[in-house]
Amino acid sequence: MDNGPSATTDHPSGNSRDRAYGSFTRHLLSKDLRAGQFVSQRELVELTGLTLAAVRELIPRLEAEGLVRTVPKRGMQIVHVDLNMVRDAFQFRAFLEVGAIRIFTQIATSETVSQLRASHEDIISRCEAALKAGQISEDLVAQAQAVDWSLHQTIIDSLANRIVEDAYRSNAIKIRLIKQEQTRLNSNLVIPTMQEHLRVIEAIASHEPERAAAAIEDHIEKARVRALEQR
């Protein structure tokens, strides 16, 4: 871990465009579609259950967000995970989260901070107990991943800024693709990453924006380095 932020794929409005986008990204993140894969519009219709018209309407949005590119005579290519993508996605993530946490540190309530701290301490405790008993299960790893994403999403959501949320969501999908290809959270990374998160939470609790910014930046940099080491 860190696997990156939660990639929420549907907006509350639930309109047809958002549902189409959500259907595509769910299939992408569940590995029904692979990074670098070529796919036709017809294949997307069969996979997602969308109409051809919905797929055609969706493509410009996916191209604008860098999730697909159209290659003449070959169809659409799912974004390819390479060094440039890793660099760009993590750099953009740092821009968003470092700025957001400075604000979050000033507005976060003690109740919110306590809840974040408790969820992390709980998952660390259960992981440590599981290790003593043998190993950390995949289910427990998945629960830890949810705790991980929740912290990052809470920081971004605190801004109540739809433009930032949309940009973050799109980049989060790329981060998750990178992690699927390389360093998805596993039993070896769970406890160290949760401990990194606790340091971030303690910095938030201090109400010192620059301390919190430094903590989240260090955390994101460690995740970036892990991703690059796996290339």
Side-chain angles (χ1 to χ4, degrees), residues 1-7 116 119-120 123 126 138-154 176 184-185 190 194 197:
M1 216 160 97
D2 172 71
N3 242 7
S6 172
L116 290 171
S119 64
H120 283 76
I123 203 71
R126 289 193 286 138
E138 290 186 9
D139 181 63
L140 190 52
V141 170
Q143 293 177 49
Q145 185 67 80
V147 171
D148 180 331
W149 288 334
S150 178
L151 172 63
H152 295 281
Q153 196 68 52
T154 297
R176 288 179 65 176
R184 185 169 178 80
L185 176 60
V190 173
M194 291 294 97
H197 273 216

Side-chain angles (χ1 to χ4, degrees), residues 7-28:
T8 302
T9 54
D10 288 309
H11 288 309
S13 64
N15 64 45
S16 60
R17 291 182 181 180
D18 289 335
R19 288 197 298 271
Y21 182 85
S23 178
F24 174 86
T25 54
R26 280 192 296 272
H27 284 286
L28 180 61

Side-chain angles (χ1 to χ4, degrees), residues 217-231:
E217 188 169 25
D218 179 68
H219 173 56
I220 293 171
E221 175 61 14
K222 284 183 169 64
R224 185 190 70 85
V225 169
R226 285 192 290 266
L228 288 173
E229 287 175 344
Q230 295 300 314
R231 292 304 302 166

Side-chain angles (χ1 to χ4, degrees), residues 61-74:
R61 178 177 179 180
L62 298 178
E63 289 180 320
E65 293 192 5
L67 294 177
V68 303
R69 70 185 184 101
T70 299
V71 180
K73 299 182 181 180
R74 296 199 65 182

Side-chain angles (χ1 to χ4, degrees), residues 113-172:
V113 175
S114 294
Q115 289 173 347
L116 290 171
R117 183 187 291 113
S119 64
H120 283 76
E121 290 176 342
D122 174 67
I123 203 71
I124 289 174
S125 177
R126 289 193 286 138
C127 286
E128 288 176 339
L131 272 181
K132 289 180 180 179
Q135 65 179 10
I136 300 174
S137 68
E138 290 186 9
D139 181 63
L140 190 52
V141 170
Q143 293 177 49
Q145 185 67 80
V147 171
D148 180 331
W149 288 334
S150 178
L151 172 63
H152 295 281
Q153 196 68 52
T154 297
I155 293 168
I156 292 296
D157 288 349
S158 70
L159 300 179
N161 184 316
R162 179 63 180 270
I163 295 175
V164 171
E165 290 171 4
D166 286 349
Y168 186 79
R169 183 206 62 245
S170 176
N171 196 61

